[in-house]
C-alpha cells in the first residue's frame, strides 16, 4: 500500500503532510523523504505510547524533518490543525 500512497499523495519537497493514523510511523517513514528539504510532517494518533515510539523512529530516520506529534483522534482534526496554527496542509493520510 505504500506504493499507492506515494503515487496518489505525490509529496514534494517543502510540503506539509499530515498522517492522521500515525501509529508506529510505517507510512510516514516510507513517505517522509519526499518532503525534504524544507517540508514538515504532522503525526496524529490516539495511542500515546504508539505515538511516542513512532515519533522516535521518525526522528531517528529523519532528524532534519520538521515534525509535530499530537496525541488526538483524527476526529479532532480541525482542533488539532487550528492549535498548530498551520496555514496549509498539502496532503493527508487516514
Amino acid at each position: 500500500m505504500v506504493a499507492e500512497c506515494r503515487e496518489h499523495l505525490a509529496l514534494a519537497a517543502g510540503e506539509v503532510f499530515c498522517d492522521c493514523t500515525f501509529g508506529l510511523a510505517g507510512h510516514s517513514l516510507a513517505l517522509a523523504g519526499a518532503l525534504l528539504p524544507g517540508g514538515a510532517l504532522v503525526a496524529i494518533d490516539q495511542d500515546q505510547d504508539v505515538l511516542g515510539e513512532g515519533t522516535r523512529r521518525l526522528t531517528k530516520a529523519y532528524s532534519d524533518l520538521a515534525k509535530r506529534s499530537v496525541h488526538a483522534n483524527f476526529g479532532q482534526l480541525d482542533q488539532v490543525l487550528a492549535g498548530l496554527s498551520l496555514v496549509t496542509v498539502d496532503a493527508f493520510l487516514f
Side-chain angles (χ1 to χ4, degrees):
M1 186 147 168
V2 171
E4 290 86 350
C5 288
R6 262 195 204 107
E7 177 185 350
H8 294 291
L9 293 174
L11 299 174
E15 291 186 332
V16 177
F17 168 57
C18 184
D19 187 340
C20 297
T21 53
F22 183 67
L24 293 172
H27 283 91
S28 286
L29 283 166
L31 300 170
L35 300 170
L36 296 172
L41 191 144
V42 177
I44 301 172
D45 203 281
Q46 65 184 0
D47 184 321
Q48 183 76 44
D49 295 331
V50 170
L51 178 66
E53 179 59 27
T55 301
R56 282 187 286 282
R57 290 177 181 189
L58 189 65
T59 299
K60 183 177 179 181
Y62 295 101
S63 60
D64 51 344
L65 177 67
K67 297 169 273 316
R68 295 191 180 170
S69 298
V70 181
H71 177 230
N73 182 285
F74 64 76
Q76 301 164 299
L77 185 58
D78 288 346
Q79 297 95 328
V80 168
L81 296 179
L84 296 175
S85 300
L86 290 172
V87 175
T88 187
V89 174
D90 299 291
F92 292 90
L93 178 64
F94 288 88

